[in-house]
């Protein structure tokens, strides 16, 4: 069974230099993999669209999105947590032990961003949503 999250839920608007936080809902229970999607997210001068995290029962995770900045020398910073049905944090997505994902931008040029990560596979069936925090 594959469950798809549709749209953005609980979006917090961001202004220049602030952090954007959004949550996407899905349920991983009983599935081999599940995915969480977000629409447009803005933080400072940066914009991210079509963000998608795919989680697999074995604890592996993959990410893709398109990003752009209206300014030079910016970078998109992102932290992601998995949550249970009560909104309690189960744990972060990380890569090499680091929970911060970073991708540089080019002024006014859209780029694909791909990343791999992992999480505690023991929590897979309890994952109900993901919270994505971003900063530019």
């Amino acid at each position: 069974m594959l469950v798809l999250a549709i749209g953005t839920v609980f979006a917090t608007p961001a202004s220049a230099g602030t952090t954007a936080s959004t949550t996407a809902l899905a349920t991983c229970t009983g599935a081999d993999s599940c995915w969480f999607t977000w629409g447009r997210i803005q933080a400072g001068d940066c914009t991210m669209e079509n963000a998608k995290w795919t989680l697999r029962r074995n604890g592996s995770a993959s990410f893709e999105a398109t990003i752009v900045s209206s300014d030079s020398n910016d970078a998109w910073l992102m932290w992601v947590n998995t949550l249970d049905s009560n909104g309690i944090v189960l744990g972060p997505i990380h890569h090499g032990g680091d929970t911060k994902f970073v991708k540089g931008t080019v002024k006014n040029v859209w780029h694909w961003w791909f990343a791999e990560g992992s999480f505690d596979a023991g929590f897979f069936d309890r994952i109900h949503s993901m919270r994505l925090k971003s900063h530019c």
Side-chain angles (χ1 to χ4, degrees):
M1 177 175 161
L2 200 54
V3 181
L4 170 65
I6 301 175
T8 300
V9 182
F10 307 118
T12 303
S15 59
T18 63
T19 301
S21 176
T22 61
T23 303
L25 303 174
T27 301
C28 297
T29 304
D32 289 329
S33 65
C34 59
W35 64 88
F36 300 82
T37 61
W38 289 262
R40 177 178 282 237
I41 300 171
Q42 293 186 277
D45 296 324
C46 297
T47 301
M48 179 165 52
E49 291 188 349
N50 304 313
K52 177 182 177 183
W53 273 101
T54 302
L55 307 183
R56 293 172 202 84
R57 183 168 291 283
N58 68 1
S60 66
S62 58
F63 173 76
E64 66 179 280
T66 54
I67 59 173
V68 69
S69 177
S70 61
D71 198 9
S72 300
N73 301 316
D74 277 337
W76 190 276
L77 289 74
M78 174 177 59
W79 300 263
V80 185
N81 279 300
T82 59
L83 297 96
D84 70 9
S85 60
N86 295 312
I88 305 298
V89 174
L90 296 170
I93 305 291
H94 55 85
H95 57 103
D98 191 355
T99 59
K100 178 174 62 177
F101 291 82
V102 180
K103 178 71 171 171
T105 62
V106 176
K107 182 178 181 177
N108 297 325
V109 177
W110 285 92
H111 280 57
W112 276 102
W113 181 6
F114 297 100
E116 298 289 328
S118 59
F119 62 96
D120 185 339
F123 290 128
F124 185 80
D125 282 322
R126 294 179 60 196
I127 296 172
H128 180 263
S129 61
M130 292 182 72
R131 182 178 304 130
L132 188 149
K133 291 185 180 180
S134 303
H135 185 78
C136 177

